[in-house]
Amino acid sequence: MNEDDPVLVEEQAHLDELYKQLLGFRDDLTHQLEHDHKQAAADLVTMSEEIRPDFGGADETMETLAAIETLNAVIDAYNQYHDFSVDRLRKVLLLLRQPYFAKVRLKMRPDRPARDVYIGAAGITDDRHTPLVVDWRNPIAETYYNQENGQTSYTVNGRLKTVELELRRQFDIERDQLHAYFDTTVAIEDSLLLNALRKHHSEKLQAITATIQREQNEVVRHADVPVMLVNGIAGSGKTSVMLQRIAYLLYHNHETLNANQVYLFSPNEVFERYIDGVLPSMGEANPRLYTWRDFVEEQGAGNRDDGSKTPASSLKRLEDEIGSLVITTDDLRAITMDDVTLLSAGQIGSVVDKHAKWGIGPRFVALTCDELRDRLDRRLAGMARSDDWQERAMGLDVEAQIQILGSVIDTSDEDEIARVTRRYLDYLFAGAEADIDRLTWLRLDRIGMRMLDQKTLSATELLYLRLLICGRGTSDARYVMIDEVQDYSAAQLMVLSKFFGSAHFLLLGDQNQAIREGTASFDEIRSIFEATHGQVDVCRLLTSYRSSPEVTAVFSRLVHMGDDIKLASVRRAGLEPRRGAFEADGELAAALREVVAAARAEAEGDQAGLTAIVANDAKAAYRIAKLLDNDVPVLKKNQSLPASGVVIVTLVMAKGLEFDHVVIPDADATTYPDTPLARRQLYTAVSRAMHQVTLFSCGEMSSLLS
């Protein structure tokens, strides 16, 4: 420590004192939880033994029930205290890794002295409930992210509070060691950010809690609106902002929201593994992670074309046709389980005809399903009285009777035999009601093919038709996040917006990274969600933090970036792009081997980084692997990114990821012609690089790079 710096000495002393308190909290909570667990177990045993069940009379029954209620209340109290202590211990353990990362000095009122507020990944108070560290999601922490010295403000409980920010200090802290501090005012002087940008790639995405910039913070702390559409340039931190937004929502809605009510759609499985440590590092659970294929499979449509290329016109045609749809007997199927027909197609047809007067839609489905469940109940009740099914139930051995029916059948009581047989039938045909609710009685494929005059339905068409008919998808989702939204077709987004009709959406993407034909433009995306959710707030992220100025200069020339784009400067000097056009595969292979050897040599030293050879498609990836004698692995979707070394990835799989060095081995005029799509693909490939990009071609290099 530099003892000549009084601020450093003072801040280290504060850190030492706080760290000592955190260690004390940890030890006390650990001991208390262990003690309370043993005490609770002993108390509950004692109280249970004191209860003497007596239901002989009204007074005795009331006393027994009161005693049981008292025991339940004690159990609830123990559980609540246990949960509180476990949550506090979780926060303490999180803070022991880094107690805080910033401090603001705020003058709350002109006539009062300023006070220091320390900001960390979690909030903690002392025994007197005085804040020691405030959570970065706490409203007062907004003064740090505003990056405005002097008069600033934050919103608490819907009210704007204006304060004077006298000091904004950042810390480089690891456990109880203060390595450095920085007093900063505006983004370009953000020392923590600049330090972070100098670091090499890691195999997992890291939280940006300490380095959230002002424009990012506006997205993270944005009002809870039906739909927020974020259009951000490459390297602007869209994915990190999305994860911080999830953590922010979980914090502010902790009493009513859990991670299982948040759905996150990601580009691929590699990307899912890349981000899976961010939220746990902030003390929050991961949301429900999906790719489009995962979603389709969960909805029972995974055995067909996934519908990623289905045109929106097909879905609009279904919308137009649904009003005049007539369901015939041929469109129905019986409810059958284990070769037993529970409801015939004819019986279902009579119910359908009865309710079809309402038109085919949600009301029709609700009425039809209700009556089909009633008929199923009557059918099972009739079967329970039949000799055949009663004999089957009584034919179960004793062990099966206890396991399935809960008791041994009393063969002397005919009413009991019928009741037990019904329980047996309910067990055998437990899935029949679910089949009714899933509309398995409706031949959706047949109906949809007739409406569209097609021989097959894609997953997108099938799911949309189901939504039009039943009017619901899921009601348990509160928030849906879609990363790389520019890669979704209009039809896919129409399905998701309707399926999650009651959820709020955060849509993030870059219109310049739409790397395949037929995807929705940002205007189309906005129009789709305005139709289903009404309000769509649009935000922009215009600063790139990933790439060096040298790399940024390459990809920014490929597309129109706009005059308002700001480029973040990094202290670590980037390397000038390397280019090479070769006449034969052998020359290309030799150049690639040179790059691979250099990357591996760095990985063995103290400059470890990850080099990615980004090929345009899978065929090109395996061609490059063969040129390199299969010495460099092709990353597969079930694998995770390595921390260092060299890997071959396809452009599709590289989406959303970043690498120290990106090598584009097929930057030739054939692979990347002068077309809008090729420009976006090359922009995407180059912008994966943090520090260096190498452009190789076999034959003439693409004119896009001239």
Side-chain angles (χ1 to χ4, degrees), residues 591-604 631-632 646:
L592 287 171
R593 289 192 188 97
E594 180 185 326
V595 171
V596 170
R600 287 176 173 169
E602 286 185 359
E604 293 175 359
D631 184 42
V632 178
V646 189

Side-chain angles (χ1 to χ4, degrees), residues 130-196:
T130 302
L132 300 173
V133 180
V134 302
D135 193 294
W136 68 273
R137 296 162 290 189
N138 188 294
I140 202 170
E142 190 173 352
T143 58
Y144 167 73
Y145 294 110
N146 285 343
Q147 299 179 331
E148 291 178 342
N149 275 21
Q151 191 175 81
T152 187
S153 62
Y154 62 96
T155 302
V156 56
N157 296 328
R159 297 177 61 186
L160 188 69
K161 189 172 182 62
T162 302
V163 296
E164 189 80 13
L165 176 63
E166 295 186 353
L167 176 72
R168 179 178 182 269
R169 179 168 290 164
Q170 300 171 308
F171 301 103
D172 181 2
I173 291 175
E174 186 176 0
R175 296 192 178 276
D176 60 348
Q177 293 300 309
L178 172 59
H179 299 302
Y181 72 90
F182 316 96
D183 290 347
T184 58
T185 55
V186 295
I188 200 65
E189 299 170 3
D190 194 324
S191 302
L192 283 186
L193 172 66
L194 300 177
N195 279 350

Side-chain angles (χ1 to χ4, degrees), residues 73 125 167 231 262-263 293 297 303-304 358 414 549 591 650 664:
T125 62
L167 176 72
N231 189 0
V262 181
Y263 288 63
R293 172 59 73 178
E297 289 181 353
N303 60 345
R304 63 184 68 222
W358 303 109
E414 291 186 3
T650 63
I664 301 177

Side-chain angles (χ1 to χ4, degrees), residues 468-481:
L468 289 174
I469 292 177
C470 69
R472 66 179 186 271
T474 182
S475 58
D476 70 334
R478 293 271 304 279
Y479 295 95
V480 178
M481 316 289 178

Side-chain angles (χ1 to χ4, degrees), residues 568-610:
S569 173
V570 293
R571 291 182 182 176
R572 179 181 177 181
L575 298 172
E576 288 296 326
R578 178 182 174 187
R579 298 167 184 262
F582 308 102
E583 294 184 359
D585 282 351
E587 296 176 23
L588 173 61
L592 287 171
R593 289 192 188 97
E594 180 185 326
V595 171
V596 170
R600 287 176 173 169
E602 286 185 359
E604 293 175 359
D606 58 358
Q607 296 295 316
L610 180 61

